[in-house]
Each structure stands twice: as structure tokens, then as C-alpha cells.
Amino acid sequence: YLDFSFKIYEKHNLCVIRKNNIIFKNYRKLFYKNGEKIISREILNKINHLALAIWHMDDGNYHYKSDTIRIYTQSFKLEGNQIIKKWFKESLGITTKIRKTYRKEQRKDYFYLEINGKDMKKFITLIENYMIDSMKYKIGLDNVRKEDAKTKSSRYNKRWWRDNEDKRVAYYKKWKRLNYQQ
């Protein structure tokens, strides 16, 4: 059973589940080795479509500008992300890409998984029936966000072409040279 306790503060309330609860001790052993968070096939093989949807609602997002699904797996190193990528392919038939981002303030690389194209559609099909309404924007169903992303992208492209005349001229010269050489 779970041992809950509640604390009421002036600005917010807090629900605390004690760390020494036997359920959490077992999960901690599964997810942490020598104080470092790890991922394994043993853990991933426990994931069904409902668990996948919950994981996505927590750590995933639909990137409207690039029309991709992203699952933020920054708490795992590259090796952990490679294990997850392989699991997605072998267990679900979904191809993912490992993307890297660098955070200056921590001076550290972080990773996330990206899913696009037909694999993104397959992923959404697996989880959409489990998504709660308030989280459906995370699978691309928010038309306002979609239109906003198109508008921002269009503005950015126009601004880039206006502000980068030297690059624009070089692009057209290269394009012209390549097309007239054929």
C-alpha cells in the first residue's frame, strides 16, 4: 500500500509519498544503479500502449514547427537512448532518431528521441486512445498551435531571406550553376 501524507502551505499543497515505501524501493532498484538513472530492456519490456501514452504525456511532445514527435529522454546518457531507440524498432517497428542538444548553463549534452513521417503516425495510432483530452496537443491535434507554428515559420523564413542577402545570392548562384551544368 502507498503511505501518503499531505502538507498544506500558504502558496500550494503538497502530497508526499514516503521514499521508504516498499513499492518505490523496488522501482528505485530497477531504475538506479550506483546513484545514476539507467534504462534497460527489462524496464522497456514492461511498457504497453497505455504506459507508452503516459510516458508521452509526461515527457513527450508534438513539435508543430517540424511536424515531429519528440520524447525527451535527457535523464539518460547516449547509451540509454540507444537502448530505447533499439527497443522502439524491435518491439514497436518504429524508427526513431537520437537528437542531441547542448545546454550552456550545465555545460552538458542532452539527448531526446524524434519520430517523424509514417513512424510518427504509427506511434500516434498506438497511443491516441489513451491520451486524455487536455494532452492531445502532444500528438498534433491542436489546430491553433499548428497555425501559429506555420505563421512563425513563414515570418522567420521571410526575415531570414531579407536579412541574409549575401547567403541568398550565393544560394541562387550555386543553384543556377548546378541547373545549367546538366
Side-chain angles (χ1 to χ4, degrees):
Y1 90 105
L2 295 178
D3 183 12
F4 288 100
S5 65
F6 293 93
K7 295 187 180 195
I8 298 172
Y9 295 96
E10 190 174 317
K11 293 185 179 181
H12 64 279
N13 296 333
L14 183 66
C15 174
V16 177
I17 303 171
R18 300 190 195 288
K19 261 173 55 174
N20 63 357
N21 187 294
I22 191 71
I23 294 169
F24 293 110
K25 281 184 178 181
N26 291 334
Y27 280 111
R28 181 154 184 85
K29 286 179 194 171
L30 194 60
F31 279 95
Y32 288 87
K33 300 288 185 238
N34 301 322
E36 188 175 309
K37 191 171 183 182
I38 57 105
I39 190 74
S40 67
R41 283 303 285 249
E42 179 186 3
I43 295 166
L44 292 168
N45 288 337
K46 295 178 184 295
I47 295 175
N48 60 19
H49 296 168
L50 172 60
L52 194 59
I54 293 168
W55 184 11
H56 184 67
M57 285 186 280
D58 185 32
D59 293 328
N61 208 354
Y62 180 86
H63 194 257
Y64 284 87
K65 191 173 178 183
S66 64
D67 193 30
T68 59
I69 291 280
R70 294 179 178 178
I71 301 175
Y72 296 97
T73 51
Q74 297 103 315
S75 59
F76 304 112
K77 293 182 177 182
L78 178 60
E79 300 80 34
N81 278 272
Q82 290 167 333
I83 292 168
I84 299 168
K85 177 182 176 166
K86 188 175 179 182
W87 176 82
F88 263 94
K89 186 65 177 167
E90 291 175 357
S91 299
L92 303 172
I94 294 174
T95 300
T96 62
K97 295 175 185 170
I98 298 174
R99 300 290 191 199
K100 179 172 74 169
T101 185
Y102 180 77
R103 291 204 186 137
K104 289 182 208 174
E105 55 275 359
Q106 284 96 6
R107 296 185 183 144
K108 189 175 176 184
D109 289 329
Y110 289 92
F111 301 94
Y112 62 91
L113 297 178
E114 188 174 86
I115 308 169
N116 56 33
K118 64 179 176 30
D119 290 300
M120 180 182 68
K121 289 180 176 86
K122 185 175 185 177
F123 177 78
I124 290 170
T125 300
L126 294 177
I127 67 170
E128 68 183 327
N129 291 334
Y130 302 102
M131 299 289 290
I132 60 173
D133 288 341
S134 65
M135 292 285 173
K136 289 198 174 177
Y137 73 93
K138 289 188 171 216
I139 56 173
L141 297 180
D142 188 328
N143 291 326
V144 172
R145 288 176 195 235
K146 207 173 270 189
E147 286 304 312
D148 187 43
K150 281 183 190 175
T151 302
K152 284 180 181 175
S153 182
S154 176
R155 280 191 208 134
Y156 170 80
N157 289 336
K158 287 177 185 173
R159 189 172 53 245
W160 187 91
W161 283 99
R162 183 191 68 225
D163 296 344
N164 292 282
E165 185 174 357
D166 54 332
K167 292 178 184 175
R168 187 175 71 238
V169 169
Y171 170 82
Y172 281 121
K173 282 181 181 177
K174 182 180 177 183
W175 180 83
K176 202 174 193 181
R177 189 173 54 248
L178 290 172
N179 285 304
Y180 287 112
Q181 287 176 354
Q182 294 177 355

